[in-house]
């Protein structure tokens, strides 16, 4: 990670972290309501870092 802000982009290159799950489970994860039923590949610490700094609603 570089820069002062968190950014994402659509790409075919390998990501630092990938999260897979149903739309409902992904949204619940982002809203910090639930963490189960997700497949996480890569840097879990980076995912937590992102999740702590992003807010929805």
């Amino acid at each position: 990670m570089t820069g002062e802000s968190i950014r994402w982009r659509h790409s075919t290159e390998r990501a630092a972290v990938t999260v897979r799950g149903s739309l409902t489970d992904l949204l619940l994860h982002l809203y910090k309501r639930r963490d189960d039923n997700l497949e996480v590949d890569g840097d879990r610490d980076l995912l937590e870092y992102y999740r702590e700094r992003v807010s929805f609603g």
Side-chain angles (χ1 to χ4, degrees):
M1 287 188 16
T2 60
E4 295 188 19
S5 63
I6 297 172
R7 293 186 286 164
W8 69 272
R9 69 176 189 265
H10 182 77
S11 176
T12 58
E13 64 188 86
R14 183 162 171 79
V17 64
T18 304
V19 184
R20 291 181 186 87
S22 71
L23 177 60
T24 301
D25 289 334
L26 290 168
L27 287 173
L28 287 171
H29 178 75
L30 288 175
Y31 282 109
K32 301 173 180 85
R33 302 282 307 272
R34 206 161 102 187
D35 289 330
D36 54 345
N37 299 325
L38 295 177
E39 178 185 332
V40 179
D41 181 37
D43 189 344
R44 288 178 181 268
D45 290 337
L46 178 58
L47 176 60
E48 260 324 291
Y49 179 86
Y50 174 82
R51 195 171 156 213
E52 289 171 3
R53 285 158 181 79
V54 172
S55 69
F56 295 92

